[in-house]
Amino acid sequence: MDSLTQVVLGGAVGYAVLGNRVGRKAAIYGAILGTLPDLDVLLPYGGEVEAFTYHRGFSHSILVHLLISPIIVWLITKCHQATAIYKTQWFWLVFLCLSTHAILDSFTVYGTQLLWPITEYPFAVANLFIIDPIYTLPLLFGFITILLPSVKPTKASKINHLALALSSLYICWSLAAKLYIDKKVAMALNDRQISAHHYLSTPAPFSTLLWRVLVMSDGQYYEGYVSVFDSASQVSLDAYHSTDTLLIDIKDEWHVQRLQWFTKGFYSVKQKQQDIILSDLRMGMECSYVFNFIVGEQTSSGIVKSHVEKVSDSTDLSLLGSVWDRIWQPSVSLAPVKENGVCANSA
């Protein structure tokens, strides 16, 4: 999730655990700890694919959080010796602020290595968009209330608990909505006789009323949008081609295998001029994917590995204005404009 959400979640959790004993310090330390795992982005991983696939790794592991929490508690109680009598509560504050960060991240589609080093598997429930104001606003309101000197601790505590309850209920709603969408899409795929090797649903930007779905099939993939108000017959799916055979000559390269593993099979392969580009289909949308990597080069002797480089699609923000309309109107299309099979917004 975005940094603001992690800060206010950490602050809310910290205050809920120890606010009645140490006051606003609990919320402030919670906010700091709530963003600490994301500092792994500052580490020099040595390459674009490495940075992409090692992010949310060891720093998001619940096992690492268990090991590091006593050290952080020791540092905190050294700075605030009067609170050392609450070591047990400090431990739970530290551990819960770190682990709720990781668990919340696992609700997005990116992937979070919750059990590193036992497994590097990137857990991803994909029931929340990376920025969701409906989830964040109650926590933000509660966090601001805690910091206001004019608000009594008992009132701040009640508001904070209410904010945590509301945000948690929203997560429950998103999970229920995802199950409902998946059932509806399964009916649509069956009606249209589309065979799905891999299937994914994830919320559209800023909402859990509209969902983006991906279906990987033979030599092509389908992208579509489904509202909770749609019937199965109103599920919109657009087909796109992926030339996976372009990877045959470089299929044993580490970067190719790493990206195939991390994307869990949700990738496309296309050739643009001499470059072979592998795109992660889970984040973004057709013509505007967030993560695209040059993994090979077409030469006179065939396709060979090249210097791996991340490239960006041109983002068409005009479609964001149609997301709200698509929730209510199945006839609204969010499919990108293509000219001769090429994205109209491509350079």
Side-chain angles (χ1 to χ4, degrees), residues 159-188:
I159 292 174
N160 185 56
H161 280 91
L162 178 61
L164 282 168
L166 289 174
S167 61
S168 299
L169 283 173
Y170 183 70
I171 289 177
C172 293
W173 149 256
S174 69
L175 291 168
K178 182 180 176 71
L179 290 173
Y180 180 63
I181 291 294
D182 291 348
K183 182 177 180 181
K184 195 177 301 189
V185 174
M187 293 172 60

Side-chain angles (χ1 to χ4, degrees), residues 107-142:
F107 289 150
T108 66
V109 76
Y110 188 97
T112 307
Q113 297 175 36
L114 294 175
L115 298 179
W116 185 96
I118 293 176
T119 175
E120 285 191 320
Y121 182 79
F123 294 90
V125 183
N127 59 300
L128 291 176
F129 188 65
I130 193 169
I131 300 174
D132 194 322
I134 298 178
Y135 176 81
T136 305
L137 286 175
L139 296 172
L140 177 61
F141 179 77

